[in-house]
Amino acid sequence: MSAHFAIDPLDFVRNTRALYGKIAVAKLVRLQNSLFNNQNELEYTIAGALDRDDRPIIQVTVKGIINLQCQRCLGELEYALNLLACLLVVRNEDELLHLDKDLSVEGVLAVPDVNILTLIEDEIILSLPISPRHQENECSTNKPTDDNSTNTKNFFAKLTTLKKLH
Ligand SMILES: [Zn+2]
């Protein structure tokens, strides 16, 4: 993993640093099982800031299109991402566990080498629909059962022909 993708959250907050970039969907390993294909690129920003209560936070934004698989027709389903997440910077695992009880707040550990790909991937995975589907009338309806049985018959017919040849 390149050092380019590691940040120190407290340093980002202290110096109000920000990072912009593009990431190939193909690099987000944990996401691959949910995808129809991984050709796209996403834009991201990572920025250090203070929230209204002067607590250190890391803001993550992710924008772009990913191609999911429709669970009804198994076709390609374009899904637009436009995410904004504020992660509270916490000092240790205990604080992180404490945060986990409050589902509306996410946290990130104040260690000097937080992998931003992991942060980005986490946000995307959290945002994905459990069962992505096209609108009712947008599914590709190219598999009526009659066709399938005809294909099967043709297949066996060909098989029989092949057998006769031998
Ligand atoms: Zn569909």
Side-chain angles (χ1 to χ4, degrees):
M1 185 60 62
S2 142
H4 178 71
F5 290 120
I7 64 158
D8 177 345
L10 284 179
D11 171 56
F12 257 58
V13 172
R14 232 178 268 132
N15 299 298
T16 49
R17 282 185 208 280
L19 194 65
Y20 308 87
K22 284 188 179 178
I23 175 82
V25 174
K27 289 211 169 165
L28 302 172
V29 178
R30 281 176 295 149
L31 202 59
Q32 302 303 309
N33 283 341
S34 316
L35 299 175
F36 186 81
N37 65 46
N38 59 13
Q39 305 304 305
N40 302 351
E41 274 192 336
L42 303 173
E43 288 177 32
Y44 66 83
T45 66
I46 307 278
L50 294 174
D51 73 1
R52 272 171 296 178
D53 304 320
D54 277 343
R55 296 179 302 178
I57 55 167
I58 294 292
Q59 289 181 324
V60 181
T61 73
V62 186
K63 267 188 202 169
I65 303 279
I66 56 175
N67 296 321
L68 301 178
Q69 184 167 48
C70 171
Q71 295 305 296
R72 187 158 37 212
C73 70
L74 303 182
E76 182 175 344
L77 173 63
E78 280 195 355
Y79 187 74
L81 293 173
N82 193 357
L83 309 176
L84 166 63
C86 295
L87 311 178
L88 198 59
V89 182
V90 296
R91 263 172 247 113
N92 52 48
E93 300 275 353
D94 278 353
E95 285 188 38
L96 204 57
L97 279 177
H98 193 69
L99 277 188
D100 276 348
K101 289 174 193 155
D102 181 354
L103 291 176
S104 64
V105 184
E106 294 174 68
V108 57
L109 267 183
V111 291
D113 54 353
V114 171
N115 185 333
I116 62 164
L117 290 190
T118 309
L119 294 185
I120 292 168
E121 197 167 22
D122 283 348
E123 291 312 316
I124 297 173
I125 289 171
L126 281 173
S127 79
L128 289 184
I130 294 165
S131 179
R133 281 158 198 238
H134 291 111
Q135 300 293 324
E136 199 76 46
N137 53 354
E138 285 175 358
C139 272
S140 41
T141 50
N142 55 359
K143 46 171 189 176
T145 42
D146 282 359
D147 268 16
N148 279 344
S149 65
T150 317
N151 285 341
T152 314
K153 270 179 213 154
N154 285 344
F155 175 75
F156 282 114
K158 275 179 199 155
L159 215 69
T160 318
T161 319
L162 278 175
K163 273 182 188 160
K164 275 178 193 161
L165 287 173
H166 285 284

